[in-house]
Amino acid sequence: MSFLYGERLSCGRLETGLDEPRTPPHALPGDRPVWPRDRAVDILHVKIEVQIDVDAKKVRGTVTHTVAPLNDGTRFVSFDAVDMVIGGVTVGKREAAFDYDGARLTVDLGEGRKRGQELQVAITYEAAPRIGMYFIGPDEGYPDKPRQVWTQCQDEDTRYWLPCFDHPSDKFTSDVVVTVPGSWFALSNGRLLQEKANRDGTRTFHWHQDRPHPAYLLTIAAGEFVRVEGAAERVPVDYYVEAKDAEAAARTFGNTPAMIALFEKLTGMPYPWAKYSQVVVRDFVFGGMENTSATTMTENILLDAKAKRDFDSDDLVSHEVAHQWFGDLLTCRDWAHGWLNEGFATYFEMLWDEHHHGIDRYRQGIIENTRLYLDERYRRPIVTNVFHDPIDIFDRHLYEKGSLVLHMLRAELGDDAFFRSIQRYVREHAEQSVITQDLVDAIAAETGRNLEWFFDQWVYKPGHPKLKVSWSWDDATGLASVSVKQTQDTSDGTPVFRFPVTIDFRKGRGKPQSFRVEVTRAEEQFVFPLPWKPDLCRFDPYGAVLKELEWEKSTGELRLQLRDDDSVIGRQWAAGELGKKGGAEAVAALETAVMGDKWWGVQAAAARALGEIRTTAARDALLRCLGVRQPRARRAVVAALGEFRGDEAVLEALRPFARRDASWFVEAEACRSIGKLRLPASFDVIAAQFDRPSFRQVVRVGCIDGLVELRDERGFDLLRRAARYGEPFQARPPAVGALARLGQFFPERKKPLGEEIAEFLLDPDFRVRIAAANALKTLGDASQVPALEKMAARELDGRGVRMARENALALRKGAATDDEVRKLREEFEKLREENTKLRDRLERLEARK
């Protein structure tokens, strides 16, 4: 499952508004350990025979579970079934007694049942699901929306539309026989055995899945779709979309067959299912969901021709393809070990990037996933069973940190041993439920390496090393010394980390001399004999260790590293450090990197660094860099120019980019930056672009952010309009959040804004509800705590429950008062402006020498 769409668009805030300031800890009051569930029977097969009543928004039919008791004398079996009407239950075709409390259906199997005895438990039922199965159709706000019905069952939402054992620890084969309107197509798991037209004008599809999978991976996706066939060899590959999107589907999903081929090679396991389909539906509640053989995707994945120039959806596509092995073929036994699903899928995104784009793209993934993890609101162990709902732990630890653990594991073992270990893990546990120890044991069995210590610190404990590094050279002895100090707070269980690391030295453009050392203590000193005085020292040059790094270097060494480091990680770090130092030499080096580096990530980092310097020379350099051809780099240049508040020359330079560029994302950044300039003309420029359609509404989102930065009261009307139900849905959550962000600068509006935003807690779109919950915290309106608590009580989607609980708690504790936030921000901005003036004056003095 891909938790959010649009996370890696560097053009703005997350579209769901989940990027709020850090509020530790992860566990909230009332959260308790959640242990794996007991099972009375082994579920062997599930046959689902249902009819979809589109108008009534109901599903009705019969589900037959073939079960085998796990112990002699088993009398009762329970199924999860929420808010259903149970018509009857049979066991072996005989009516059976049952008890139903609205959430759990308990069936009497009868006396004398033996372990392993196969029984068929058939349940006739009807449900009007509030979650789990979604009925999509036109309404007053969106009259052109097509009718569709689709399921989304992870983590434990199958119970809302199907009586089942709704936990990942049991797997079964399945048949799905679903009847839908006659003009519709219905996709499900496995192979299509039959499609028939019925006399009443409906159509029935019979799908058979012959390999076991858990209940959360069952799927039905039905509507008026066209089929686009993918170019596959052994595995049938296809894409189902609305007719208008056929061309976009080919553009978006074209690399799918190559991904399957790569992952077969890396896992050593042929693609395990009968087909691979991807269906794009309206209003999907995640980015993508990896149902066995049939992934459901958000409509936001579809690329237009302009977006394709500097953006692709391969991260989401490859993530869900990888899940067909990690999550589907091998499934976490319980959600505490969910990183075995999500961390692996996220890491395989990086492996696709490495294969398809090269090593620089893979290393860019290290940088981006590290940033996303570090930006998480709290620190927790990757494996934890303390939560309210399972979705609470589907966060940056499960996904991004999980991927970085696998990256570090690859560095620890080396490529050959790492991939052999992964292949053994897949081979030995196919079709099984797994826990982290299964991976540890597979590594030990394959390589002889006992890595309990590795998993203990990186998976079972929170945090990461924060390092303060320095180096020096002794001419007399010919020795280079490197000091490494771990400075992370260990009071929350974060350990002092043990990790091997590479340190190397270089003189001129010669080959680096490399050393492998191991850090095991809070403070270490390493000494290296060298035949020459080095110009450059690098610590962990290829990013093998998850860390935060503080390292004071000279401008000269940083310029050398920015120019000559063969790792994009080192070059981007050097660019950031030069931005902190400033000065004429730093500006010149950064401009050269923006225009000349071979990797867009370094170009972008150098542009951001120039924006941090904020002097006249840095501004002039950025203006010259507007001609950079790489769109991602140009986007960063445009964003950096927003740091030059009040500069008319910058506004005139950005106007054309706001109106038109080859990249949607450059246009969005121009609108954002124009707002940051806070000039009298900024509002009109932003307003002129506000209603222009764009891919994923990124231009409107850029305008929304620009209005917040502008701090002009006229922005409230535009934000209110963008937040309204019926407006383009991608921009509604950012607009709701922006009302609070802008409201921070107008304290007199706090109470009415709080009341206005609280209305969105009842919005039909759960993303808007979550954005509203976060906005109330941003606004610091403690009077709305009861509204948040009511939201937490009524929400069914666990993400909404989590954010309502978290934000209500923060407001009760007074964690985000508008006065404190505003004063701190104003003081920070004053300091930055004073620092910029000092830097500018210093540069002019240096230029006169």
Side-chain angles (χ1 to χ4, degrees):
M1 175 173 66
S2 180
F3 183 41
L4 300 172
Y5 60 80
E7 293 170 338
R8 294 178 186 171
L9 293 182
S10 59
C11 64
R13 299 164 65 85
L14 295 182
E15 291 157 294
T16 56
L18 297 182
D19 56 333
E20 291 299 313
R22 187 177 301 161
T23 8
H26 172 262
L28 299 178
D31 290 356
R32 296 288 184 269
V34 178
W35 302 101
R37 289 175 61 176
D38 291 341
R39 294 188 299 139
V41 300
D42 185 13
I43 300 177
L44 305 174
H45 184 77
V46 174
K47 185 174 184 179
I48 302 163
E49 300 169 279
V50 291
Q51 182 163 356
I52 306 297
D53 187 334
V54 178
D55 293 331
K57 298 184 178 180
K58 289 184 177 181
V59 56
R60 60 177 62 92
T62 300
V63 56
T64 303
H65 296 273
T66 301
V67 305
L70 292 170
N71 296 288
D72 289 345
T74 296
R75 181 68 185 266
F76 299 98
V77 60
S78 292
F79 299 95
D80 301 296
V82 178
D83 296 338
M84 296 183 183
V85 176
I86 305 299
V89 179
T90 63
V91 176
K93 297 186 178 180
R94 293 185 177 181
E95 289 190 10
F98 65 89
D99 181 70
Y100 180 56
D101 63 5
R104 186 73 61 88
L105 172 68
T106 301
V107 177
D108 187 342
L109 297 176
E111 295 182 349
R113 300 305 184 184
K114 299 293 185 182
R115 170 179 165 81
Q117 177 186 2
E118 291 192 13
L119 303 167
Q120 288 192 331
V121 181
I123 304 164
T124 301
Y125 73 101
E126 179 180 292
R130 293 180 292 157
I131 198 170
M133 177 178 282
Y134 298 79
F135 292 79
I136 307 302
D139 60 19
E140 186 176 351
Y142 301 96
D144 297 326
K145 187 179 295 183
R147 292 185 180 273
Q148 296 175 350
V149 177
W150 44 264
T151 60
Q152 168 50 42
C153 301
Q154 194 173 14
D155 44 59
E156 296 176 1
D157 291 346
T158 315
R159 65 188 69 192
Y160 290 92
W161 70 273
L162 180 76
C164 63
F165 181 77
D166 201 5
H167 192 267
S169 58
D170 203 355
K171 292 187 169 190
F172 46 81
T173 55
S174 66
D175 282 278
V176 175
V177 184
V178 56
T179 299
V180 296
S183 62
W184 285 25
F185 172 79
L187 178 69
S188 190
N189 311 87
R191 181 179 292 106
L192 182 61
L193 298 185
Q194 185 181 35
E195 174 186 350
K196 67 174 183 177
N198 303 313
R199 291 182 179 179
D200 62 359
T202 62
R203 186 171 295 272
T204 299
F205 296 83
H206 182 181
W207 294 87
H208 175 67
Q209 178 62 274
D210 59 1
R211 299 191 77 161
H213 58 160
Y216 81 87
L217 293 173
L218 285 165
T219 186
I220 294 172
E224 293 186 339
F225 300 118
V226 298
R227 178 176 180 266
V228 179
E229 187 172 356
E233 296 179 2
R234 187 183 61 82
V235 180
V237 174
D238 49 27
Y239 327 118
Y240 292 92
V241 295
E242 296 171 41
K244 68 181 178 58
D245 295 325
E247 183 180 342
R251 183 187 299 124
T252 302
F253 297 118
N255 287 328
T256 302
M259 293 172 184
I260 292 173
L262 175 65
F263 297 165
E264 286 183 324
K265 178 181 177 181
L266 295 178
T267 62
M269 176 70 67
Y271 178 80
W273 313 103
K275 69 173 187 310
Y276 188 58
S277 299
Q278 294 169 95
V279 58
V280 177
V281 301
R282 295 290 187 102
D283 294 353
F284 195 53
V285 294
F286 288 98
M289 181 62 213
E290 66 277 7
N291 314 297
T292 50
S293 80
T295 288
T296 308
M297 292 288 198
T298 171
E299 65 202 275
N300 286 282
I301 196 174
L302 295 170
L303 302 173
D304 63 27
K306 184 171 176 177
K308 184 72 172 176
R309 295 170 183 168
D310 62 332
F311 186 80
D312 63 52
S313 295
D314 278 6
D315 55 348
L316 179 52
V317 176
S318 61
H319 184 99
E320 307 306 338
V321 171
H323 269 312
Q324 300 302 310
W325 287 265
F326 302 104
D328 293 9
L329 185 63
L330 290 77
T331 308
C332 61
R333 180 199 65 186
D334 59 288
W335 300 118
H337 295 271
W339 83 281
L340 296 173
N341 296 11
E342 301 301 345
F344 268 84
T346 306
Y347 185 60
F348 270 62
E349 295 177 41
M350 296 168 61
L351 292 176
W352 166 253
D353 283 340
E354 180 180 11
H355 168 80
H356 190 61
H357 297 286
I359 191 63
D360 286 349
R361 182 70 173 262
Y362 174 87
R363 290 175 180 156
Q364 190 69 34
I366 298 171
I367 294 170
E368 292 176 0
N369 286 352
T370 299
R371 175 182 58 80
L372 288 167
Y373 157 69
L374 292 177
D375 284 347
E376 184 56 278
R377 303 185 305 279
Y378 44 74
R379 296 287 174 261
R380 67 168 182 84
I382 290 179
V383 172
T384 180
N385 69 342
V386 180
F387 49 80
H388 183 270
D389 292 312
I391 201 70
D392 290 354
I393 58 173
F394 281 70
D395 60 6
R396 304 301 191 187
H397 295 77
L398 214 65
Y399 288 75
E400 283 80 15
K401 188 178 182 184
S403 75
L404 294 167
V405 167
L406 292 170
H407 164 68
M408 291 188 288
L409 186 61
R410 179 181 176 185
E412 174 69 32
L413 293 172
D415 277 16
D416 179 66
F418 173 76
F419 286 109
R420 281 194 290 111
S421 297
I422 297 303
Q423 290 170 8
R424 184 172 189 137
Y425 168 66
V426 171
R427 184 172 65 248
E428 291 185 345
H429 297 286
E431 299 186 352
Q432 297 178 15
S433 298
V434 289
I435 60 174
T436 302
Q437 191 62 41
D438 294 321
L439 176 60
V440 178
D441 291 344
I443 294 167
E446 185 65 30
T447 69
R449 295 286 308 277
N450 186 324
L451 294 182
E452 301 274 359
W453 62 270
F454 177 94
F455 286 87
D456 178 66
Q457 65 183 10
W458 291 113
V459 176
Y460 292 105
K461 288 188 170 71
H464 55 275
K466 293 184 178 181
L467 305 178
K468 188 171 185 177
V469 176
S470 62
W471 78 282
S472 61
W473 170 255
D474 189 330
D475 262 327
T477 60
L479 297 176
S481 297
V482 176
S483 170
V484 181
K485 184 178 181 180
Q486 298 193 44
T487 64
Q488 65 271 16
D489 181 4
T490 58
S491 62
D492 64 348
T494 298
V496 172
F497 284 82
R498 164 190 171 186
F499 55 91
V501 66
T502 296
I503 300 173
D504 67 16
F505 302 88
R506 198 184 70 188
K507 182 176 179 62
R509 293 180 182 266
K511 183 180 179 181
Q513 188 158 339
S514 181
F515 301 88
R516 188 77 167 164
V517 300
E518 186 170 52
V519 175
T520 60
R521 295 174 297 188
E523 296 191 43
E524 301 270 15
Q525 189 81 19
F526 301 102
V527 179
F528 307 98
L530 295 171
W532 27 252
K533 179 182 178 180
D535 300 319
L536 174 64
C537 175
R538 299 191 301 175
F539 181 89
D540 190 24
Y542 304 110
V545 181
L546 170 60
K547 63 188 177 300
E548 291 181 77
L549 179 63
E550 180 185 345
W551 192 352
E552 182 66 30
K553 286 190 172 189
S554 69
T555 298
E557 185 177 359
L558 291 170
R559 289 174 63 204
L560 178 65
Q561 187 164 3
L562 176 59
R563 188 188 69 189
D564 292 341
D565 197 325
D566 66 343
S567 169
V568 299
I569 295 173
R571 298 206 301 279
Q572 291 184 53
W573 179 83
E577 293 300 301
L578 283 169
K580 296 174 186 176
K581 285 185 173 295
E585 291 184 343
V587 169
L590 291 167
E591 181 179 358
T592 299
V594 174
M595 297 304 295
D597 198 278
K598 62 183 180 180
W599 181 245
W600 64 264
V602 178
Q603 293 176 295
R608 288 192 295 270
L610 285 168
E612 284 295 312
I613 293 173
R614 299 179 79 203
T615 60
T616 302
R619 179 207 64 180
D620 292 344
L622 282 167
L623 290 173
R624 290 190 291 271
C625 290
L626 281 170
V628 67
R629 297 188 63 181
Q630 219 294 335
R632 289 182 174 95
R634 190 165 63 255
R635 186 193 318 178
V637 172
V638 168
L641 281 166
E643 298 298 326
F644 295 86
R645 187 165 300 128
D647 195 311
E648 295 280 358
V650 172
L651 175 62
E652 293 310 310
L654 291 180
R655 276 181 191 268
F657 291 95
R659 290 194 297 266
R660 184 71 179 172
D661 187 82
S663 164
W664 290 122
F665 306 102
V666 172
E667 294 171 8
E669 286 297 349
C671 295
R672 189 173 287 110
S673 288
I674 286 169
K676 287 182 177 181
L677 296 177
R678 297 184 197 162
L679 288 163
S682 293
F683 181 84
D684 289 338
V685 176
I686 293 171
Q689 306 306 319
F690 199 80
D691 292 322
R692 187 154 61 84
S694 60
F695 171 67
R696 292 188 181 180
Q697 293 297 314
V698 295
V699 172
R700 174 170 277 199
V701 174
C703 290
I704 287 169
D705 288 339
L707 290 173
V708 174
E709 296 289 348
L710 183 57
R711 304 183 187 179
D712 187 320
E713 286 190 271
R714 291 176 293 174
F716 283 112
D717 289 338
L718 286 174
L719 295 177
R720 285 191 181 95
R721 177 157 64 79
R724 259 188 343 223
Y725 190 74
E727 288 291 311
F729 74 92
Q730 297 98 329
R732 293 187 66 227
V736 171
L739 284 169
R741 291 161 58 207
L742 183 57
Q744 287 180 296
F745 306 109
F746 302 94
E748 70 282 0
R749 289 178 174 261
K750 178 177 175 178
K751 185 170 179 58
L753 270 176
E755 294 171 354
E756 184 178 348
I757 291 168
E759 293 296 318
F760 287 103
L761 298 176
L762 299 169
D763 195 87
D765 189 332
F766 88 96
R767 292 184 178 88
V768 173
R769 298 196 297 272
I770 291 174
N774 286 334
L776 289 173
K777 178 188 166 188
T778 298
L779 194 63
D781 186 2
S783 70
Q784 296 300 331
V785 166
L788 286 168
E789 291 173 340
K790 288 179 182 177
M791 175 184 171
R794 69 174 172 264
E795 277 289 328
L796 294 174
D797 190 292
R799 291 164 291 181
V801 175
R802 169 76 192 190
M803 298 316 301
R805 293 176 68 221
E806 186 176 302
N807 292 331
L809 179 65
L811 286 173
R812 281 198 181 280
K813 289 182 175 180
T817 64
D818 57 339
D819 287 339
E820 291 171 353
V821 171
R822 188 176 65 256
K823 287 176 181 177
L824 286 171
R825 184 181 286 111
E826 288 172 354
E827 288 173 7
F828 176 71
E829 289 181 356
K830 287 178 182 177
L831 287 172
R832 287 191 68 185
E833 288 172 6
E834 290 171 5
N835 187 49
T836 298
K837 291 175 183 176
L838 288 171
R839 278 187 169 182
D840 235 344
R841 192 177 305 160
L842 181 60
E843 285 187 6
R844 288 170 185 166
L845 288 172
E846 288 177 348
R848 292 174 187 169
K849 292 178 181 178

